Amino acid sequence: MLTLWGKQAEDFTDDSQPVIAVKGARIGDFSGKSLSATSNAVFLVNPDIPEAHSLRGWFDNEGKTAESRSLSGIKGGLGGPAPWKAIRESSISDLADSEKGDFFMSKVTLMSVKREYPAYMACPSANCQKKVVDMGSGTYMCEKCCQEYPNFKWRMMLSANFADYSGNIWATCFQESAEAMLGLSADIVGPMHKEDPDAFDALIKNIVFRSYIVKFKSKMENFNNEMRRKSTVLELHPVKFEEYTRKLMAEIKESAF
């Protein structure tokens, strides 16, 4: 499955089962393999390259009638499966001796999102995500790259509160997970927050109390000489209730013996 955002989604109207080539897409392996065309992705329909012609020939001759093989399944991505935990169970985990942190999955409900600074102007360089400074002369300075650019790219960084039956957790949602939660790309949300705060507020109100399957990472970090637990959303997907119900039924059967 390939997810398009913003103008790419608005402009795509081809329903002829075309060959699509994407460069720079984000690959997810949570609940099935998926692609997400980020704002920096290159997106081509029926490209004139040998691989596309080969794929077209295979599909027309046999692929369209071949039985598809599902790659879905409720499991974690970004390094492999993670154990399922309730939020309270994760909050009492001992992270003092863990350099990598605690990775876990939870079915949670979005309770609230902080409205302040959901997106920031970032360095347009492909290998940099640092915030840039508006120089006021039509250029933007990246202190990490020590370079001025004529443009910038929007990057998301939302602070959201999630809850389940056992408790709640504040976690940071970066670009991909924030875009998945809001249903809009950073290129749309960034200007909206600055220019139309009422529309942004309505967007947040529209998504609260939705349920998701989330892969979290919790780690202890030093903040002003004080160790604090910091949680990050690594993957976020709407609940596929059929799959989630099968998971629960399997757990019930296991616990019955």
Side-chain angles (χ1 to χ4, degrees):
M1 182 178 68
L2 171 65
T3 302
L4 303 180
W5 303 94
K7 186 171 176 55
Q8 287 180 334
E10 295 172 357
D11 293 344
F12 186 77
T13 58
D14 196 329
D15 58 358
S16 62
Q17 297 180 314
V19 174
I20 298 175
V22 184
K23 180 180 180 181
R26 174 180 175 268
I27 301 176
D29 59 0
F30 171 85
S31 194
K33 294 294 182 181
S34 62
L35 294 172
S36 179
T38 64
S39 57
N40 296 321
V42 178
F43 179 83
L44 299 174
V45 178
N46 292 321
D48 187 16
I49 57 176
E51 292 84 355
H53 296 313
S54 176
L55 180 59
R56 179 82 268 168
W58 169 83
F59 181 80
D60 290 341
N61 292 323
E62 56 179 293
K64 60 185 177 183
T65 58
E67 182 178 355
S68 61
R69 181 170 65 92
S70 176
L71 299 177
S72 63
I74 298 183
K75 55 186 179 180
L78 295 177
W84 288 78
K85 294 183 180 181
I87 287 178
R88 175 168 173 74
E89 183 183 0
S90 70
S91 67
I92 61 177
S93 299
D94 186 7
L95 303 180
D97 298 325
S98 176
E99 294 183 1
K100 294 183 179 180
D102 182 32
F103 296 81
F104 63 96
M105 307 287 297
S106 287
K107 175 185 174 293
V108 294
T109 299
L110 176 65
M111 304 304 294
S112 63
V113 176
K114 290 185 179 179
R115 268 67 164 179
E116 299 84 5
Y117 311 112
Y120 64 94
M121 297 184 298
C123 177
S125 174
N127 299 318
C128 183
Q129 300 177 6
K130 294 297 183 180
K131 186 176 181 180
V132 296
V133 178
D134 187 348
M135 304 302 290
S137 58
T139 60
Y140 303 88
M141 177 68 184
C142 176
E143 295 181 351
K144 179 182 178 182
C145 299
C146 297
Q147 185 173 341
E148 291 188 20
Y149 296 94
N151 61 326
F152 63 89
K153 61 185 177 184
W154 286 105
R155 298 262 336 156
M156 302 276 280
M157 190 171 65
L158 285 177
S159 180
N161 185 262
F162 300 92
D164 66 4
Y165 69 91
S166 67
N168 67 87
I169 184 173
W170 282 99
T172 302
C173 304
F174 291 102
Q175 189 83 343
E176 289 80 10
S177 59
E179 289 181 335
M181 188 167 65
L182 296 177
L184 294 173
S185 69
D187 291 335
I188 296 176
V189 175
M192 178 192 295
H193 178 259
K194 291 187 64 176
E195 300 167 7
D196 194 348
D198 290 339
F200 178 74
D201 190 61
L203 174 65
I204 297 300
K205 290 180 179 179
N206 186 55
I207 65 171
V208 293
F209 305 125
R210 293 184 181 180
S211 294
Y212 299 95
I213 301 294
V214 179
K215 183 177 183 181
F216 292 99
K217 174 185 177 181
S218 288
K219 185 178 181 181
M220 298 302 294
E221 294 190 357
N222 191 320
F223 182 78
N224 289 338
N225 295 322
E226 179 183 350
M227 296 303 293
R228 295 184 181 180
R229 180 186 295 261
K230 180 179 180 181
S231 297
T232 304
V233 172
L234 299 182
E235 290 199 15
L236 176 147
H237 297 267
V239 179
K240 294 183 179 180
F241 286 98
E242 183 177 351
E243 291 184 13
Y244 186 67
T245 300
R246 286 200 297 266
K247 172 191 176 297
L248 295 179
M249 292 178 65
E251 291 179 349
I252 291 173
K253 290 180 180 179
E254 289 178 3
S255 63
F257 296 99

